[in-house]
Amino acid sequence: MLLLGAASGLSPFGVTITVPLLLVIAVDFGASSGQVQFLISAYLFGLATAQPFNGYLCDRFGRRPVLLAGFALFILASLVATQAEHLETLIVLRYLQAVGVSVGTVASRAVVRDTNDARGATEALAYIAAAMGFAPILAPIAGGWLGSVGGWQSVFYATAILGALIWAWIYFALPETLHSDQERPRLTAWFKNYRQLLATPAFLGYTLIFGFVQGCFFAFLAVGAAVFERQLGIGEAKFGLWWGLMAITYVIGAMVSGRLFRTLNLVRVMDGSALLVLLGGVLAPALVILFGVSMPTILIPLGVIMVAAGTTTPGALAGAVNLFPQMAGTASGLSSSVGIVLGGVFTVLGGMVYDDIYQPVAWLIALSALLTALSWGLVRVTMPRSALETSTQ
């Protein structure tokens, strides 16, 4: 699990390691702050567009070769990025970085499903989710330190080294887990499989859970630094510290869910998690209306949602791939891509509704929490309880 956690965690690590250096990059390239934001957008766009196709490649050619090829592309793009002389070039290379590293999340989930029964897959994915939650906590700290020592180029040297270490780890330690007798889909079957997945309400429900629960905190993350500075008088550095502490609650939730899945089935864990997300969503606007904007009224609801997200995400990820084990890669890629797109939508919406007033953002968080709970309701309604319990055992 440690290897799969590292392979999955490099993707979110790559998103946030450049965040502390955006201003430095803007100055170096003579660009505006709005222009350098495309370094983040291009990365997220690369993840969203590549993951569905990576899922097909994993089912067609196997997990191991796709992982090795993807990380090789990530390493190459990172190295070339250190020599970029134009911002446009760097943006394209960020996109290629994401295309390469996106195989980590998709293939890791497929490997877990290949090597575990449904309950074991759910428990294993809880620990992978914890690794994915911890990576973006460390990344900004590492990026800030590297940038102060060696400039923005040092961040890309560091990602190339990390990619190379994981590539070697995969090469020497990870065997192929796709069974030789399993049917390898052709490209025409890829489209057929996608139609089947998208026509399955339970798959859509699990996928929407993953996307909407991310939307709860992505809506805040888009404007969090501004809220802390303008409403609370706290600078960006302290915002990063507080956000890191909040992210730790997500990791705690994911670790707890790993233990819960040992003794409880997915249905009971997801029932409780959906209610906890809904509670956090209700608290977000309620506390602001009752007590005004303050550190507790902002962070308490987000903390509740973060813990719930840590327990909800593994169940949603496992549920999506457990429905169709024979095309675990395809299901993993599609659900990841849709989840990232939904998270991105709430990031945009958060920026749109915030105009130096926090309350609209709180209502947006509540909406995303409600949609998370309704998505779990879609799974519960469309799958008989017996089928739900069978799919997690």
Side-chain angles (χ1 to χ4, degrees):
M1 283 309 109
L2 190 59
L3 169 56
L4 298 180
S8 298
L10 189 57
S11 176
F13 187 90
V15 176
T16 54
I17 192 171
T18 58
V19 170
L21 302 176
L22 292 180
L23 181 59
V24 174
I25 294 172
V27 171
D28 201 17
F29 286 101
S32 68
S33 58
Q35 288 173 315
V36 295
Q37 288 294 333
F38 282 106
L39 293 172
I40 306 298
S41 301
Y43 195 99
L44 293 174
F45 184 65
L47 294 178
T49 55
Q51 284 183 335
F53 193 62
N54 286 335
Y56 160 73
L57 294 176
C58 284
D59 286 340
R60 179 74 177 87
F61 300 106
R63 322 314 190 193
R64 177 182 158 88
V66 174
L67 273 169
L68 291 173
F71 275 91
L73 175 59
F74 176 80
I75 296 164
L76 180 61
S78 298
L79 289 173
V80 176
T82 64
Q83 308 302 314
E85 297 181 354
H86 304 283
L87 181 61
E88 293 80 5
T89 303
L90 193 59
I91 290 171
V92 171
L93 290 167
R94 283 285 285 170
Y95 175 82
L96 293 176
Q97 269 192 315
V99 169
V101 80
S102 65
V103 304
T105 304
V106 176
S108 294
R109 289 168 61 185
V111 168
V112 166
R113 191 61 188 91
D114 292 340
T115 55
N116 293 272
D117 60 15
R119 182 185 290 273
T122 307
E123 181 180 338
L125 285 170
Y127 293 107
I128 291 177
M132 292 180 68
F134 196 61
I137 299 172
L138 295 178
I141 300 171
W145 180 80
L146 286 167
S148 65
V149 172
W152 63 265
Q153 294 90 343
S154 63
V155 165
F156 292 99
Y157 280 119
T159 54
I161 292 170
L162 283 174
L165 291 173
I166 295 174
W167 187 96
W169 196 358
I170 293 168
Y171 183 83
F172 289 107
L174 184 68
E176 180 55 62
T177 60
L178 184 64
H179 299 302
S180 58
D181 59 348
Q182 186 166 325
E183 183 180 356
R184 307 295 178 102
R186 299 287 181 181
L187 191 57
T188 53
W190 179 49
F191 294 105
K192 179 182 177 181
N193 290 342
Y194 270 14
R195 286 197 300 270
Q196 182 180 358
L197 290 169
L198 293 174
T200 304
F203 175 82
L204 290 176
Y206 282 125
T207 299
L208 293 175
I209 291 167
F210 175 53
F212 285 133
V213 80
Q214 290 187 101
C216 292
F217 45 87
F218 278 3
F220 173 78
L221 189 57
V223 299
V227 170
F228 267 54
E229 183 174 348
R230 297 171 188 173
Q231 269 73 52
L232 304 179
I234 296 174
E236 289 187 5
K238 288 187 178 179
F239 166 72
L241 174 62
W242 279 105
W243 185 252
L245 292 174
M246 294 297 294
I248 289 174
T249 63
Y250 172 89
V251 176
I252 292 171
M255 297 297 291
V256 168
S257 70
R259 294 182 177 275
L260 289 176
F261 286 127
R262 294 179 185 176
T263 55
L264 302 175
N265 62 36
L266 183 143
V267 179
R268 295 182 64 184
V269 176
M270 292 295 286
D271 280 345
S273 298
L275 288 174
L276 197 59
V277 171
L278 193 57
L279 172 63
V282 170
L283 288 175
L287 292 181
V288 171
I289 291 170
L290 292 173
F291 303 106
V293 178
S294 66
M295 187 81 76
T297 59
I298 291 175
L299 295 185
I300 288 174
L302 286 173
V304 172
I305 292 172
M306 280 284 200
V307 172
T311 58
T312 302
T313 300
L317 296 178
V321 296
N322 285 341
L323 289 169
F324 300 97
Q326 73 279 9
M327 49 177 165
T330 302
S332 172
L334 182 59
S335 62
S336 293
S337 176
V338 173
I340 289 171
V341 169
L342 281 176
V345 166
F346 276 87
T347 301
V348 174
L349 291 175
M352 289 175 61
V353 302
Y354 178 70
D355 187 18
D356 291 343
I357 300 174
Y358 178 68
Q359 195 170 110
V361 179
W363 281 109
L364 187 59
I365 293 169
L367 173 63
S368 192
L370 174 62
L371 291 172
T372 302
L374 291 175
S375 298
W376 172 238
L378 175 63
V379 177
R380 293 285 257 120
V381 168
T382 56
M383 287 186 71
R385 185 174 182 86
S386 59
L388 273 169
E389 292 177 348
T390 300
S391 69
T392 60
Q393 293 173 351

